[in-house]
Amino acid sequence: MTVHDASWVRQTMVAASERPSAATGVWLWARNNLFNGWLSTVLTLVSLIAIGWGMLSIGPWLGNSVWNASSVNECRQAMNGAPGACWAVIRDRWTQLFFGFYPAHLYWRPVIAFALLFAALAPVLFTALPRRMIWFSILYPGVAFWLIWGGSLWSPALAYLGFIIGFGLFASLARVNMGLATAAAVIGAATWWIGATGPLTSQLSAIAPIDLQTVASRDIGGFLLSIVIGVAGIAMSLPLGMLLALGRRSGMPLIRTMSVVYIEFIRGVPLITLLFTASLLLNYFLPPGTNFDLILRVVIMVTLFAGAYMAEVIRGGLAALPRGQYEAAEALGLDYWKAHRLIILPQALKISIPGIVNSFIGLFKDTTLVMFIGLMDPIALAGAIRANTDWQGIYWELYIFIGAVFFAFCFGMSRYSMYLERRLKTDHR
């Protein structure tokens, strides 16, 4: 008898059995993440009790919601004395929360500007799109300004021409001297904007009028105001922060000292102080009769404030790079600007993505501080709505709605930063 004929030798393989139910799916995830130790189990049970208590407390209030009413008294009558949420105030005043006192028949203009914002951001945020679309991203600020504020289209067009003049002067003199090229570009563009833009706009408007109804800045409010200030501050604070970070690490004592003084001064002063400066004190330093738009002043101050914090975030990324990266750039024969543009800054920015996005989120939420200088942001509009006799007594519904909208924007930025980190990840850990 051979070994293979022995009764104790298996002749066929046993079919694979399914894993126990406790070792698959939800049960496995719960055991590994919620009940993987006594401390985790206690925290899970306490959390479940807190969530259950919250649902039992808030559930009846949400379940007795009223959506159709024209005043808080109608809401209370529909609730029959029981506690409940009066969401009718959102339905009645949502346009005011989003647009402020913007003329109702012109709502289509900020809506189009907001839709075009995504088209302008797409080629910047996603590399799969054609790079030639970046031209629309460059032109978008002028288009958005014209749509929201109105006036003549020639005004933003001539403003862009100032940038072209400055770039032309810089490109023509850059090979001679970088400092001279930069000074010539700034002086040339500023001279064009101050001396030529106004008269030429009037002349071109008389010859070929391309105008939209003008909307005053005092009528712009709500989430429209927060988005304008937030997007403008985010777009301009990043390049300003990069320049300040490079200036703080510069080997030239004057540039380094100026950058350090600026960053430390801005970081030591509250944002609300700078906003009051923009609102009240700045006019004292301007020539008599100068009309400097308040929203523009706020955007400038917010940009200067955020740029200082952005500089420190980027400086941390620069400090995290090994010295070998700088030596490699020098070995390739690259000058200072090419080395930072092609090798140093891309890596430093990748390292700094979490801090950069965190600063962006904080900047967007800080736009609510403009209520203290008289601008009607969503929080200020909520107070104005509550002051109306029809909606006196409304409190939680307005702030919950405003918080939910801010959360949607901030959560979107957070998720994109996570996507960007995964896309740019080059290690295999």
Side-chain angles (χ1 to χ4, degrees):
M1 182 178 66
T2 63
V3 176
H4 295 289
D5 294 334
S7 60
W8 62 81
V9 177
R10 183 183 300 279
Q11 300 298 320
T12 59
M13 296 298 295
V14 177
S17 59
E18 297 183 357
R19 297 177 66 184
S21 59
T24 59
V26 177
W27 296 107
L28 178 63
W29 179 88
R31 189 176 65 181
N32 292 337
N33 295 277
L34 302 179
F35 304 98
N36 60 346
W38 69 269
L39 180 60
S40 176
T41 301
V42 170
L43 292 176
T44 299
L45 294 176
V46 171
S47 301
L48 291 175
I49 292 173
I51 293 172
W53 176 81
M55 294 180 63
L56 291 175
S57 301
I58 301 175
W61 184 73
L62 293 176
N64 195 27
S65 299
V66 176
W67 290 91
N68 295 312
S70 59
S71 66
V72 66
N73 291 329
E74 291 186 15
C75 282
R76 291 169 179 168
Q77 291 175 4
M79 295 173 190
N80 293 322
C86 183
W87 300 110
V89 63
I90 306 299
R91 183 172 181 175
D92 184 57
R93 297 300 182 94
W94 71 270
T95 54
Q96 189 174 357
L97 288 171
F98 275 98
F99 301 105
F101 299 103
Y102 207 89
H105 65 284
L106 299 178
Y107 282 164
W108 62 273
R109 284 164 43 179
V111 169
I112 292 178
F114 183 71
L116 292 177
L117 173 63
F118 292 97
L121 291 176
V124 178
L125 302 180
F126 304 102
T127 56
L129 296 175
R131 302 311 299 167
R132 60 179 177 271
M133 291 180 61
I134 200 72
W135 287 106
F136 179 74
S137 303
I138 297 173
L139 295 175
Y140 173 76
V143 174
F145 173 83
W146 181 58
L147 285 173
I148 295 175
W149 274 271
S152 175
L153 179 60
W154 294 110
S155 180
L158 292 174
Y160 274 104
L161 187 55
F163 285 106
I164 296 174
I165 292 173
F167 178 78
L169 292 172
F170 179 83
S172 61
L173 298 175
R175 295 182 179 181
V176 179
N177 185 279
M178 288 294 295
L180 177 62
T182 303
V186 172
I187 294 173
T191 302
W192 172 264
W193 290 328
I194 297 173
T197 299
L200 285 177
T201 299
S202 302
Q203 294 176 11
L204 292 173
S205 297
I207 298 172
I210 309 175
D211 300 339
L212 289 176
Q213 180 180 336
T214 303
V215 177
S217 292
R218 63 177 179 272
D219 295 330
I220 299 175
F223 288 105
L224 174 60
L225 177 64
S226 296
I227 292 173
V228 168
I229 297 175
V231 172
I234 287 172
M236 293 188 292
S237 64
L238 181 59
L240 176 61
M242 288 190 288
L243 292 176
L244 290 171
L246 296 177
R248 185 158 190 169
R249 293 172 58 89
S250 174
M252 293 183 284
L254 178 61
I255 300 297
R256 183 174 62 252
T257 302
M258 291 175 61
S259 300
V260 170
V261 170
Y262 171 82
I263 292 172
E264 296 303 329
F265 172 76
I266 293 295
R267 292 173 65 198
V269 177
L271 176 58
I272 189 63
T273 303
L274 297 178
L275 293 178
F276 276 118
T277 302
S279 174
L280 302 175
L281 299 180
L282 194 59
N283 282 336
Y284 290 105
F285 301 96
L286 297 175
T290 302
N291 184 18
F292 198 1
D293 188 85
L294 179 57
I295 294 181
L296 178 58
R297 282 181 271 164
V298 169
V299 168
I300 292 174
M301 283 298 180
V302 168
T303 300
L304 296 177
F305 181 83
Y309 285 85
M310 193 66 61
E312 290 300 283
V313 173
I314 297 174
R315 188 171 69 91
L318 292 171
L321 285 181
R323 179 61 189 169
Q325 297 297 317
Y326 296 87
E327 295 174 350
E330 295 174 358
L332 291 173
L334 300 177
D335 60 20
Y336 179 85
W337 292 108
K338 285 185 177 180
H340 280 80
R341 180 171 61 88
L342 300 175
I343 296 178
I344 306 303
L345 278 177
Q347 298 182 76
L349 292 176
K350 185 182 76 169
I351 296 172
S352 307
I353 286 175
I356 291 173
V357 176
N358 184 62
S359 298
F360 287 167
I361 292 174
L363 169 61
F364 185 68
K365 292 189 295 183
D366 284 344
T367 58
T368 55
L369 293 176
V370 299
M371 65 178 292
F372 294 107
I373 59 174
L375 293 177
M376 302 302 289
D377 77 306
I379 303 297
L381 286 172
I385 293 171
R386 294 174 58 238
N388 188 283
T389 55
D390 291 336
W391 299 109
Q392 282 184 351
I394 291 293
Y395 187 81
W396 289 107
E397 293 85 348
L398 288 168
Y399 293 114
I400 289 175
F401 176 76
I402 294 171
V405 175
F406 271 104
F407 173 79
F409 281 102
C410 296
F411 183 73
M413 287 189 279
S414 175
R415 299 303 298 179
Y416 175 77
S417 72
M418 297 173 64
Y419 156 78
L420 191 60
E421 289 183 65
R422 291 193 300 269
R423 184 167 66 83
L424 297 178
K425 188 175 182 179
T426 54
D427 56 3
H428 300 285
R429 290 180 295 174

